[in-house]
Amino acid sequence: MSSEPVDFSRGSVAEVPEVMTGVLLVGHGGFDKLEYRSDIPVPTPGPAEVLIRVAAAGVNNTDINTRIGWYSKSVKSSTDEGATQAQDLDATWTGVPMSFPRIQGADCCGRIVRVGKDVDPSRLGERVINANTLRFYVNYRPMESWVFGSECDGAFAQYMKAPSSEAHTVDCDWSDVELASVSCSYSTAENLLHRAGVKPGEHVVITGASGGVGSAAVQLAKRRGAFVTAVAGSMKADEMRQLGADRVVPRGESLVKHLGKETVDVVVDVAAGPAFADLLDVLKKGGRYAVGGAIAGPIVELDVRTLYLKDLTFFGCTFQDDVVFRNLVSYIEKGEIRPLVGKTYPLKDIVTAQQEFLSKTISGKIVLVIPD
């Protein structure tokens, strides 16, 4: 099904269809819970919202984690092991039950085709990307937010509504696919560096460096003038160096063996799992540990003596200050970072895309192209 052509000269009444193609998540579980449909009602934007014609949408760990119910505290395993013990009552970012059906997709690049009554009609036609953490829906309360694909519908469909204040216009020559690789991964990475206060000349270790968040963190840490050690599969070392990594440690090998104890200022971690103790051992006294994921396993062993005797500071990083996404957009517009897209798939092949994502054979982002 194709949408009608949009005439942006007609104000906020751009022609859009009543139904759209998209992917519905109908419950927690396996790939069978993803239903590709062409009869989904097109959302209607509220007074302060915009309707976006989605061009492309990135694939992220959070899409898979949400589908399998991995955020439930009952789950002890890594993402790729599934979440067979998940409890529906706490299997979301916010720890509340998931509402089904849900359209997932935390990353969106598209054009505004309709605006709510309180939004300036001049926004029609703008190419936008969405903020990763949505503060509008929680009245901008500190440390609270919603996420597309979890608390509200996201970008795995032809149309998506979003708060106008959190749909950001970007002036750049990147393709729609490239821009669709940004919102979740790059803002997560920038938030980790922002919260940890990374400064020029500091030594930063980045785990999961070949993935979406990790590869973004490598670029963003180099932008800040840091010395970067990337932890990634040995076959991806050259790619990590091309992104700017000064040193690459093969995933699964001891960081202490490669770097020595107390040699690192900041650890940016999206993996956790069995390597957690090594990450703390390589930190200098007074070092900072920032975590934004646990794909290798959420349950770790912490010797509290290491924490307090080394005067370490821990940062759990989910909520993002408004400045994080504004800064990210400015980096794109100034040409200070570049996208790393590994592969694209049509939306109908979402299962294959997520399977390849889980295989960890692709560096950078996997992006879904949304049909006309």
Side-chain angles (χ1 to χ4, degrees):
M1 179 220 62
S2 298
S3 63
E4 295 296 324
V6 175
D7 179 2
F8 295 114
S9 68
R10 295 168 56 190
S12 61
V13 291
E15 294 294 333
V16 296
E18 294 183 357
V19 295
M20 64 182 180
T21 297
V23 176
L24 293 181
L25 177 67
V26 297
H28 291 303
F31 295 115
D32 61 305
K33 298 298 183 181
L34 297 171
E35 296 186 359
Y36 185 74
R37 301 271 293 273
S38 59
D39 60 350
I40 304 170
V42 172
T44 300
E49 294 177 321
V50 297
L51 183 67
I52 300 168
R53 176 58 172 91
V54 183
V59 174
N60 293 283
N61 264 307
T62 188
D63 305 316
I64 296 165
N65 290 342
T66 298
R67 171 173 57 77
I68 66 177
W70 183 85
Y71 293 111
S72 170
K73 293 297 191 297
S74 63
V75 177
K76 312 298 182 184
S77 59
S78 61
T79 297
D80 59 5
E81 293 179 46
T84 57
Q85 302 301 313
Q87 301 296 313
D88 288 352
L89 293 179
D90 68 341
T92 63
W93 280 57
T94 54
V96 299
M98 188 83 170
S99 177
F100 297 107
R102 172 67 72 218
I103 299 172
Q104 292 189 279
D107 288 340
C108 171
C109 176
R111 292 190 179 272
I112 295 174
V113 295
R114 186 168 288 173
V115 298
K117 67 180 183 63
D118 296 337
V119 180
D120 189 337
S122 68
R123 295 215 66 187
L124 287 166
E126 290 181 4
R127 187 169 70 149
V128 296
I129 58 176
N130 60 277
N132 186 39
T133 54
L134 305 171
R135 301 189 62 207
F136 172 85
Y137 294 121
V138 295
N139 297 316
Y140 297 91
R141 291 190 297 270
M143 306 307 293
E144 291 187 37
S145 62
W146 282 12
V147 177
F148 284 120
S150 180
E151 288 69 46
C152 57
D153 286 340
F156 292 164
Q158 289 179 310
Y159 293 89
M160 180 186 84
K161 68 177 182 177
S164 178
S165 59
E166 294 170 319
H168 296 259
T169 304
V170 187
D171 181 14
C172 70
D173 61 0
W174 291 15
S175 69
D176 292 339
V177 165
E178 289 170 329
L179 276 177
S181 71
V182 169
S183 293
C184 185
S185 293
Y186 278 80
S187 66
T188 299
E190 176 66 10
N191 192 43
L192 287 159
L193 299 168
H194 169 76
R195 294 281 291 278
V198 172
K199 298 183 287 291
E202 290 192 313
H203 185 176
V204 179
V205 164
I206 298 170
T207 67
S210 62
V213 177
S215 61
V218 170
Q219 292 186 58
L220 291 165
K222 289 305 297 180
R223 182 202 160 275
R224 288 171 178 252
F227 180 94
V228 173
T229 293
V231 179
S234 57
M235 300 296 290
K236 299 174 182 177
D238 288 343
E239 294 175 0
M240 295 301 96
R241 293 189 180 94
Q242 290 172 11
L243 282 179
D246 299 285
R247 186 168 185 172
V248 182
V249 173
R251 185 176 63 247
E253 296 189 13
S254 170
L255 273 169
V256 172
K257 178 181 177 181
H258 281 273
L259 304 180
K261 291 188 174 182
E262 300 188 4
T263 57
V264 173
D265 299 288
V266 178
V267 166
V268 169
D269 189 20
V270 297
F276 179 77
D278 256 20
L279 296 175
L280 302 192
D281 284 344
V282 298
L283 279 171
K284 298 176 181 177
K285 291 181 178 180
R288 290 103 72 199
Y289 169 86
V291 60
I295 58 174
I299 308 302
V300 298
E301 184 174 289
L302 169 63
D303 186 333
V304 175
R305 293 167 295 188
T306 302
L307 174 59
Y308 76 80
L309 291 175
K310 291 180 67 174
D311 288 289
L312 302 180
T313 302
F314 283 14
F315 298 92
C317 303
T318 293
F319 175 84
Q320 297 177 10
D321 293 326
D322 294 340
V323 69
V324 169
F325 209 85
R326 291 200 301 268
N327 284 346
L328 181 59
V329 170
S330 75
Y331 304 157
I332 296 171
E333 293 184 334
K334 294 174 185 176
E336 295 177 348
I337 58 176
R338 57 192 174 92
L340 179 62
V341 175
K343 199 167 184 179
T344 63
Y345 286 92
L347 180 62
K348 66 181 179 63
D349 293 338
I350 185 172
V351 170
T352 303
Q354 289 194 358
Q355 288 171 333
E356 184 144 38
F357 180 95
L358 287 168
S359 75
K360 306 301 180 187
T361 58
I362 300 294
S363 296
K365 286 298 289 283
I366 292 176
V367 177
L368 298 171
V369 178
I370 311 303
D372 291 332

